[in-house]
């Protein structure tokens, strides 16, 4: 994605090399014109950098001087690219102020883009990150209908777009088998067992499990002010993506968000991008995903019996969690969410998660 970071401040035209050879050989421009059967004016304009060395001229220069045609073609290409970049950079400088909404400092801190000093260079890095050629193309992303269902996107569309883009880039590095719904449901059953066991390498194992069923699972830290928890979307007909920020840093939030995003992939339209954030839009799809995650983590009948007993102590929570083979923190989180206990209760039963 990223080109070589070395960019020379100046590149001499190939005509300068040609002039050096003429002086070295004691050959005049007129003599070269005769030897190549080219107009003297053309030779003079090549020397001055006003005319380009064509592939045909390169072959003629090869015959006269011995330097291969590829040498002249490469020199010409490098010089023309240098001129084009100089014009491009000047154009970027004129519109660089328009990236104020892009959280470049945070993106640099997270090493999503390299640190640059000038606004034009920052803009160039941002455009490369998003895979677009102009600031207008970047700004058009805010009008993409696939993102409109998220209030988080409405609040800070470029920051949310950057987070989603990073997830896509990371997912590209994960080789996945073609998506298989039956296999993915089996993966979710195995994921639930991981939730109960919580081995030290659970994250790596979860990534591998998801990939085996056609789902790339990535962990991407949220950008400031976005309050993002997760997202789910399809990258192709055979590859889906679950993206988690792990912003709350506890096992109950992690597992609920994971199964919530999985529900979107299994139950809802493939054309949408589902973005979940604090204060996000609540609709039937979100409610269904919430219920799916709650029921997968804790069987409804078991939960009903537990809450009806109204014995919410740390001991009873551990016992119930053991009976349903789930992490105690997940039980605590649900009790807190349903306001059956105070949000300060039994926090020590939750396991901290960070990546």
């Amino acid at each position: 994605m990223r080109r070589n970071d070395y960019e020379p401040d100046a590149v001499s035209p190939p005509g300068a090399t040609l002039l050096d050879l003429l002086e070295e050989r004691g050959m005049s421009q007129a003599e070269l014109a005769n030897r190549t059967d080219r107009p003297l004016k053309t030779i003079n304009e090549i020397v001055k950098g006003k005319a380009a060395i064509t592939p045909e001229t390169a072959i003629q220069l090869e015959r006269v001087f011995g330097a291969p045609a590829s040498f002249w073609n490469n020199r010409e290409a490098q010089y023309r690219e240098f001129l084009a970049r100089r014009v491009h950079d000047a154009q970027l400088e004129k519109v660089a102020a328009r990236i104020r909404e892009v959280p470049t400092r945070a993106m640099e801190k997270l090493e999503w883009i390299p640190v640059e000093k000038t606004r034009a260079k920052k803009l160039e890095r941002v455009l490369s990150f998003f895979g677009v050629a102009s600031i207008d193309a970047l700004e058009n992303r805010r009008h993409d209908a696939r993102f409109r269902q998220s209030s988080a996107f409405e609040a800070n569309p470029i920051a949310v777009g950057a987070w989603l883009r990073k997830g896509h880039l990371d997912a590209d590095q994960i080789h996945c088998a073609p998506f298989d719904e039956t296999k993915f449901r089996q993966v979710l059953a195995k994921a639930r067992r991981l939730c109960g066991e919580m081995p030290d390498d659970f994250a790596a194992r979860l990534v591998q499990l998801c990939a085996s069923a056609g789902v790339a699972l990535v962990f991407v830290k949220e950008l400031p002010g976005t309050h993002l928890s997760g997202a789910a979307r399809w990258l192709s007909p055979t590859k889906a993506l679950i993206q988690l920020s792990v912003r709350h840093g506890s096992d109950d939030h992690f597992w609920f968000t994971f199964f919530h995003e999985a529900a979107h992939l299994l139950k809802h339209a493939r054309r949408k991008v589902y973005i979940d954030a604090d204060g996000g839009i609540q609709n039937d799809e979100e409610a269904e995903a919430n219920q799916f995650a709650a029921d997968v983590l804790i069987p409804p009948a078991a939960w009903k019996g537990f809450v009806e007993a109204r014995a919410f102590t740390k001991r009873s929570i551990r016992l119930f969690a053991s009976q349903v083979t789930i992490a105690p923190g997940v039980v605590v989180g649900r009790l807190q969410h349903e306001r059956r206990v105070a949000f300060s209760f039994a926090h020590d039963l939750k396991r901290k998660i960070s990546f």
Side-chain angles (χ1 to χ4, degrees), residues 17-28 32 35-36 43 57-68 72:
T17 303
L18 181 57
L19 183 60
D20 289 341
L21 283 174
L22 289 172
E23 292 176 351
E24 180 182 312
R25 304 286 178 89
M27 186 184 302
S28 68
L32 178 61
R35 289 183 179 226
T36 58
I43 297 298
T57 302
I59 293 174
Q60 293 170 338
L61 293 176
E62 176 184 82
R63 291 170 179 168
V64 173
F65 294 109
W72 297 107

Side-chain angles (χ1 to χ4, degrees), residues 156-218:
N156 196 343
I158 296 298
V160 175
W163 185 75
L164 292 172
R165 174 64 173 169
K166 177 59 175 171
H168 195 157
L169 293 173
D170 288 354
D172 284 344
Q173 305 304 311
I174 300 177
H175 175 73
C176 293
F179 181 78
D180 184 312
E181 180 176 338
T182 300
K183 192 165 186 179
F184 186 52
R185 290 184 182 274
Q186 295 170 350
V187 164
L188 296 184
K190 295 177 181 178
R192 189 190 179 282
R193 289 197 290 273
L194 281 177
C195 175
E197 299 166 0
M198 289 298 286
D200 291 339
D201 64 342
F202 82 92
R205 289 167 64 176
L206 189 59
V207 170
Q208 292 175 351
L209 283 171
C210 288
S212 71
V215 178
L217 172 63
V218 300

Side-chain angles (χ1 to χ4, degrees), residues 146 149 232-234 269-274 283 285:
R146 294 174 300 161
Q149 69 272 15
R233 63 194 188 276
W234 289 87
R270 291 192 174 199
R271 67 182 182 276
K272 288 186 178 181
V273 177
Y274 297 93
N283 53 34
E285 290 176 326

Side-chain angles (χ1 to χ4, degrees), residues 268-290:
H268 302 140
R270 291 192 174 199
R271 67 182 182 276
K272 288 186 178 181
V273 177
Y274 297 93
I275 308 170
D276 294 292
D278 293 351
I281 293 174
Q282 295 301 311
N283 53 34
D284 291 343
E285 290 176 326
E286 292 302 319
E288 186 176 27
N290 285 340

